[in-house]
Amino acid sequence: MASPFLTAALRRPSALRTATTATSQWARYSSFAPKPQRSNTRTYALVAALMATGAGAAVWSYPRLFPTPESVEPEKAEIVFEKPRKKAASKEENRDLVSSQHLQVKNSWEHPGVYAWGSNAGKVVAPDSKESVIKTPRRIPYFDGQILRDLKLDRDFGAAVTEKGDLVQWGTAFSKDASTPVVTLKGKDISKIAISRDRIIALSSNGSVYSIPVAKADQVLGQKQSTSSSVPLWTPESPAISYRTLKPADLGWGEKIVDVKSGLQHCLLLTSKGRVFSAASSSEEFPSRGQLGIRGLTWQTRPAGPYDQPHEVTALHSIKDIATGDFHSLALDNQGRVFSFGDNTAGQLGLEQDLSANFIDTPTPLPISKLYSHTNLLPKATSIAAGGQNSFFTIDATDSPLARTIADTWVCGSGIHGSLGTGKWTHMSPTPTKIKALSNLSEYDEATNRLIPIRLAHLAVGSTHACAVLDNLTHLTASSNTSNSDTNFGADALWWGGNEYYQLGTGKRNNVNVPVYIGPLDGGKGIRRWGGVRGGAEDAGYAEDDGETGEDGKGRKVSFEQRVECGRYVTGVYSGA
């Protein structure tokens, strides 16, 4: 059978066959003319066919090699509507529902006492617990319903002054057998205390200063002083415990001690006439890092007499505030100048470090004016605080032409645990640095219709952490005569620094290098932060320090506030008179 292509050719017209043959046979080209290129149509067609085949194979194999996951419909969100608020039965109950801070203020008035947290190695923050750390604020049952004059806490011992002026002690350094706080010194009308490594420095309301050993064994076995009697032929009474009396030798007429502060080895005494005395406050080691403020004073060069006799720091005059760290001292005079002396290994004196000497044994003024050298502000220090290896001071910087005052907080010293509060982790900071979170704050005062600076009401400093209570406006006068929405609120309190023993109260163990809020002391739900309580109220169970008073249910009117105490790895908040 003939091929279809051959058959088609045979059927082609004879004229066409002749023309095609003639063209193929007689075509000639010049040697100088370019030859026409052979057509690449077949090559292109072959490549196109291969590409089409590959594309088809890819289309066929892709869904088999990479299967498409089954489509999953998004989970429908469950709509939860807000439950109707409980209908208040009274005006006061309505305030509790609409304001968590109002509830905190009321609880602090109705249930005074002591909250503590941090290291419990010495059975201080939780005497009845075997836990090594207490992560969040917890009440010490012994002090429930009590108002204290002062409170000082250490990891190994605690000391408090009752409302009557008696000294209370507890912790393993006091006695390993005592499971609850014990009253140790009565009848001295103690107003405030300070603690060293192993002694308690107590100031009475009449200006007498007592140095009391921490350990119960030393109190019992130590030499006891006789108490004089005004009754003739009456045998002097011996006190129940041993203590020493610290009395400067040359106090003037009417002059008395009005404040005491203590480091680990030394203490400072401030008189009513602005003079400062220093003394050894520990029986373990004599102060040897210049913290006494007396040039050349050492154990070998000390004058005759008791080792803990007070020495006047003659370089200081007209002093209105004192502060102590572990091994350094601060003093603030009535002109707004700050003086520092003692250990400077971490730059805690705020002065340039001298590599040849790591301490300064004479009071040296801080160059505060240099901190504002490129501004039109006139600085004046208003308060000081110290603890561990850190120093703090607040400054009012005034712009006279604008009649404007800026309140700033400055810090120097060690910052490896975050105790500088500046957001940085540094081993040492000899140059004072501003704490931005506590500086240049202001609020609108409706009473005066102007902005006023927010200063610090109190600054508590421990060995590695600190707390600042702001002096912001508070409202504590809500009563039955005011509206339902009139609620009480207190001052803000912020915390920062070392948190290795949960001493910040955040419930977490990480150190914090900027001031932060913590949860409520009572752990109440819905309360985002704790506000320290200052001020007073008319219809509350207890009241505070703005002249307002309340009754405690026994016909007795009292005035108090919540105060913060930061110690060595521990923290406390107490109801202070």
XYZ file of all heavy atoms in Angstrom, residues 76 101 132 136 347 468 546 549 564:
62
model
N -14.228 29.731 66.567
C -15.103 30.849 66.845
C -14.857 31.373 68.255
O -14.743 30.602 69.207
C -16.566 30.423 66.703
C -16.948 30.047 65.267
C -18.426 29.700 65.179
C -18.821 29.347 63.749
N -20.252 29.000 63.646
N -8.273 50.862 95.281
C -7.424 51.610 96.208
C -8.202 52.051 97.440
O -7.668 52.085 98.549
C -6.793 52.818 95.512
C -5.657 52.453 94.591
C -4.689 53.614 94.383
O -4.715 54.603 95.108
N -3.833 53.483 93.403
N 12.200 28.893 103.320
C 13.450 29.659 103.279
C 13.250 31.056 102.731
O 14.016 31.967 103.052
C 14.491 28.917 102.436
O 14.029 28.757 101.098
N 5.886 36.781 98.522
C 4.968 37.917 98.465
C 4.629 38.362 99.888
O 4.835 37.606 100.844
C 3.668 37.546 97.719
O 3.104 36.364 98.325
C 3.945 37.265 96.249
N 32.006 53.771 94.659
C 31.624 55.123 94.256
C 30.433 55.663 95.020
O 29.802 56.636 94.594
N 10.710 53.663 97.086
C 10.405 55.095 97.167
C 8.903 55.278 97.302
O 8.128 54.723 96.509
C 10.916 55.826 95.929
N -2.339 63.329 108.840
C -2.681 64.677 108.403
C -3.590 65.382 109.408
O -4.296 66.321 109.065
C -3.383 64.633 107.041
C -2.390 64.391 105.923
O -1.186 64.426 106.211
O -2.815 64.155 104.789
N -8.320 61.918 112.541
C -8.240 60.780 113.447
C -9.472 59.910 113.320
O -10.493 60.310 112.772
C -8.115 61.254 114.908
O -9.237 62.064 115.217
C -6.825 62.022 115.126
N 7.440 51.905 105.054
C 8.207 50.834 104.421
C 9.585 50.737 105.064
O 10.216 51.766 105.352
C 8.357 51.082 102.906
C 9.150 49.950 102.254
C 6.984 51.205 102.250
